[in-house]
């Protein structure tokens, strides 16, 4: 099940920064992407804490959280990482230290676009180490009920394909779907700019819970009874595409490339995590001695970022 694809690991040549405020908590935040050595993977560092905490972006560090993805280590946590992770995975950036001075990244416009632009400005460089890949050999299914789940099948030709079927029933968000064979070019052109969304009927209740108090229709697509509030769609099926963006970010928590075909139906972060845990469990069962399979114990310790070039 474990294989090595014909590509090298990649990082960025220099640092890049994105600033703003968080989608959930509304706290001002600066995020800095930094180069990292081969086999380090994606690691978040909370620089605002008394003792800076590093948290590997791996499924083992995921903790339950409503409506987003959170990772946690003994020293701290970071939530709402999915759009950052999608940008890194979509561009095939495998090694990066993400320094952040708040509990969550900037919301920006609700998509991965600002992170993609920052990473591209930092120049992506190849490293002289192969990137590990898990290629599915069997069908896997994780379900919540008869109508909510994710199915995964082996690839036809080592492709990584993700599709999503979105159905909110009667309401302002139409039934929609899409599917993409992922490459950096496809991610940049078709997925990265697709924004998170919410029903107008949910907004007030979320804000009562302290979620999204600084959010506006400019960084979250708000769907009211008469359509989108103070905004317009970038794609007719932008909501389904954003769900694919979330899948890309969450699936990257496996810590290596994937080859397989995935179809998600009305699912969210919890099922995304369940699918990656199932893939990891199956891969380890087939290759229990496979030392190259991503695991926190295989990470360099202590963690040190690569010196920035340029």
């Amino acid at each position: 099940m474990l294989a090595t694809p014909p590509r090298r690991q990649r990082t960025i040549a220099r640092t890049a920064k994105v600033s703003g405020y968080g989608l959930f908590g509304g706290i001002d935040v600066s995020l800095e992407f930094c180069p990292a050595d081969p086999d380090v993977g994606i690691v978040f560092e909370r620089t605002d804490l008394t003792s800076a905490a590093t948290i590997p972006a791996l499924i083992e560090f995921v903790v339950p959280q409503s409506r987003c993805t959170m990772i946690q280590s003994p020293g701290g946590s970071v939530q709402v990482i999915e759009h950052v992770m999608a940008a890194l995975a979509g561009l095939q950036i495998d090694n990066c230290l993400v320094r952040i001075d708040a509990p969550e990244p900037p919301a920006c416009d609700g998509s991965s676009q600002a992170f993609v632009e920052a990473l591209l400005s930092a120049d992506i460089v190849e490293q002289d180490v192969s990137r590990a890949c898990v290629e599915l050999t069997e069908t896997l299914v994780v379900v919540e009920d008869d109508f909510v789940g994710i199915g995964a099948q082996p690839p036809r030709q080592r492709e990584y394909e993700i599709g999503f079927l979105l159905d909110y029933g009667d309401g302002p968000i139409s039934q929609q779907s899409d599917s993409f064979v992922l490459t950096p070019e496809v991610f940049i052109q078709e997925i990265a700019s697709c924004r998170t969304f919410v029903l107008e009927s949910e907004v007030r209740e979320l804000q009562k819970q302290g979620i999204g108090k600084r959010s506006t229709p400019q960084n979250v697509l708000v769907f009211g009874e008469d359509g989108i509030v103070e905004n317009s769609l970038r794609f007719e099926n932008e909501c389904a595409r954003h769900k694919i963006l979330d899948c890309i970010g969450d699936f990257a928590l496996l810590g290596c490339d994937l080859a397989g075909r995935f179809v998600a139906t009305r699912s969210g972060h919890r099922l995304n995590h369940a699918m990656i845990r199932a893939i990891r469990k199956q891969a380890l069962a087939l290759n229990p001695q496979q030392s190259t399979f991503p695991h926190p114990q295989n990470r360099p310790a202590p963690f040190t970022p690569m010196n920035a070039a340029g």
Side-chain angles (χ1 to χ4, degrees):
M1 191 174 186
L2 210 71
T4 301
R7 82 169 182 92
R8 299 292 186 179
Q9 292 183 29
R10 311 206 306 174
T11 188
I12 51 177
R14 61 189 65 84
T15 60
K17 183 177 287 188
V18 180
S19 298
Y21 58 86
L23 177 64
F24 276 39
I27 299 173
D28 289 339
V29 55
S30 289
L31 177 149
E32 188 176 43
F33 294 109
C34 305
D37 289 326
D39 291 327
V40 165
I42 309 301
V43 179
F44 284 77
E45 181 180 54
R46 284 285 301 277
T47 61
D48 58 313
L49 302 178
T50 304
S51 179
T54 56
I55 313 145
L58 293 170
I59 192 65
E60 294 89 339
F61 293 84
V62 171
V63 294
Q65 182 75 358
S66 176
R67 306 179 75 97
C68 71
T69 292
M70 174 188 280
I71 53 174
Q72 180 176 296
S73 71
S77 65
V78 183
Q79 65 174 351
V80 203
I81 66 168
E82 53 269 19
H83 300 169
V84 173
M85 291 298 294
L88 290 160
L91 296 177
Q92 293 184 341
I93 296 171
D94 312 302
N95 302 301
C96 187
L97 172 65
V98 184
R99 288 193 169 116
I100 182 171
D101 63 0
E104 62 176 302
C108 303
D109 69 350
S111 76
S112 291
Q113 187 66 37
F115 305 123
V116 166
E117 291 172 359
L119 290 164
L120 291 175
S121 75
D123 291 335
I124 300 170
V125 294
E126 284 196 347
Q127 299 170 295
D128 195 25
V129 178
S130 295
R131 173 68 166 170
C133 179
V134 167
E135 180 174 342
L136 296 184
T137 56
E138 301 176 11
T139 296
L140 285 174
V141 177
V142 294
V143 296
E144 188 172 285
D145 57 40
D146 290 344
F147 305 102
V148 180
I150 306 174
Q153 293 181 299
R156 298 180 182 91
Q157 295 181 334
R158 297 184 65 84
E159 75 275 14
Y160 179 28
E161 180 177 357
I162 301 179
F164 198 94
L165 306 174
L166 185 146
D167 183 359
Y168 277 75
D170 294 333
I173 301 177
S174 64
Q175 294 180 346
Q176 53 191 263
S177 65
D178 217 329
S179 180
F180 297 96
V181 174
L182 295 174
T183 65
E185 294 74 22
V186 166
F187 182 78
I188 291 169
Q189 296 170 12
E190 306 291 346
I191 302 170
S193 66
C194 296
R195 297 158 292 178
T196 194
F197 57 93
V198 67
L199 293 171
E200 189 175 32
S201 58
E202 296 179 290
V203 171
R204 186 172 297 178
E205 184 58 37
L206 288 171
Q207 291 182 337
K208 284 182 181 178
Q209 299 172 29
I211 297 174
K213 287 189 174 181
R214 290 179 71 183
S215 297
T216 72
Q218 280 62 59
N219 57 26
V220 179
L221 286 178
V222 179
F223 284 82
E225 292 183 2
D226 299 322
I228 298 173
V229 178
E230 299 177 28
N231 215 320
S232 60
L233 290 173
R234 292 172 176 169
F235 301 93
E236 185 177 356
N237 61 352
E238 185 171 354
C239 295
R241 292 186 187 213
H242 182 80
K243 286 290 193 177
I244 291 173
L245 185 154
D246 281 345
C247 286
I248 294 167
D250 287 341
F251 290 176
L253 295 165
L254 185 62
C256 63
D257 283 354
L258 273 167
R261 294 174 290 152
F262 297 81
V263 177
T265 303
R266 298 173 59 185
S267 66
H269 296 294
R270 190 178 66 80
L271 280 181
N272 293 345
H273 303 153
M275 173 55 73
I276 291 309
R277 290 188 180 99
I279 292 172
R280 181 174 172 77
K281 180 178 179 180
Q282 187 179 89
L284 288 173
L286 293 173
N287 299 276
Q289 304 303 317
Q290 180 55 259
S291 61
T292 59
F293 192 80
H295 191 280
Q297 292 179 354
N298 295 335
R299 303 284 175 184
F303 172 79
T304 54
M306 186 179 74
N307 290 329

